[in-house]
Amino acid sequence: MSRIGKTPIPIPMGVQVSVADGVVQVKGPKGALKHPVPGRILVADEGEQVVIKRTGDEPDVRALHGLVRALLANAISGVTAGFKRELDIVGVGFKAELKNPREIVLALGFSHPVFYKAPEGVAISYDAKANRLTIEGIDKQKVGQVAAEIRGVRPPDAYKGKGVKYSDEVLKLKAGKTGA
């Protein structure tokens, strides 16, 4: 039995979980999320907790058992507290400008500005003093994907560390050439 999959997920106050037609819907104070459930995984709402069970013991079903439990735990956590990723913009003249909570214009040393529009349900804020972007939303996958796409525009370079990096990312810079 999967150690992750067999652990029940506690349902906090103010969160509703409903299972119908292979889709689990989670509603909470910050919004609602839907997650499809594979046919060989069973999800049961038992009052104050959600229990995930599997129908077989094949390797693919065992792998899905823990995955579905982790996705539902993230959904419950997302509708109650939400998720947040922070990105630091490092470099002279590198900056961002907010058009609205979902659109941003990045100036990252290219000859042109880079426009980025976040998907529905993800909000971006910018602190100009710290040169830090904050990406927030209730869906962990979307928040992480937006952060990865923005970082991918100009990842930190290996010699000076200039570019867009996660705020908790530790860079190991290369020494470069030693001149005489």
Side-chain angles (χ1 to χ4, degrees), residues 14-111:
V15 176
Q16 297 173 340
V17 177
S18 60
V19 183
D21 298 329
V23 177
V24 176
Q25 184 167 13
V26 181
K27 290 183 183 176
K30 290 203 173 229
L33 289 173
K34 289 183 181 181
H35 273 289
V37 178
R40 300 180 62 190
I41 301 293
L42 305 172
V43 178
D45 181 9
E46 296 181 354
E48 296 181 5
Q49 61 186 14
V50 176
V51 178
I52 291 91
K53 297 178 182 173
R54 61 180 187 233
T55 58
D57 208 28
E58 292 81 25
D60 57 334
V61 178
R62 289 174 35 203
L64 288 173
H65 189 202
L67 173 70
V68 169
R69 193 257 179 220
L71 291 175
L72 291 180
N74 285 339
I76 290 172
S77 176
V79 297
T80 55
F83 293 100
K84 177 168 83 168
R85 279 308 292 233
E86 293 180 334
L87 297 170
D88 290 338
I89 300 174
V90 180
V92 176
F94 287 17
K95 61 184 177 181
E97 180 186 336
L98 230 57
K99 291 283 191 188
N100 62 47
R102 288 189 28 230
E103 285 186 57
I104 194 159
V105 179
L106 300 164
L108 299 174
F110 298 122
S111 61

Side-chain angles (χ1 to χ4, degrees), residues 99-174:
K99 291 283 191 188
N100 62 47
R102 288 189 28 230
E103 285 186 57
I104 194 159
V105 179
L106 300 164
L108 299 174
F110 298 122
S111 61
H112 59 282
V114 178
F115 296 91
Y116 184 81
K117 184 173 173 142
E120 190 70 38
V122 176
I124 301 173
S125 59
Y126 177 64
D127 179 13
K129 289 189 183 219
N131 219 8
R132 178 171 285 186
L133 289 170
T134 304
I135 300 148
E136 295 179 294
I138 61 172
D139 191 348
K140 188 175 186 177
Q141 192 273 331
K142 280 185 182 177
V143 170
Q145 185 65 37
V146 168
E149 287 173 358
I150 292 174
R151 183 186 182 275
V153 172
R154 183 94 182 215
D157 99 314
Y159 296 98
K160 293 183 181 178
K162 292 174 26 176
V164 181
K165 70 178 196 81
Y166 297 115
S167 62
D168 57 353
E169 183 177 12
V170 177
L171 299 176
K172 189 171 181 182
L173 300 179
K174 293 182 180 180

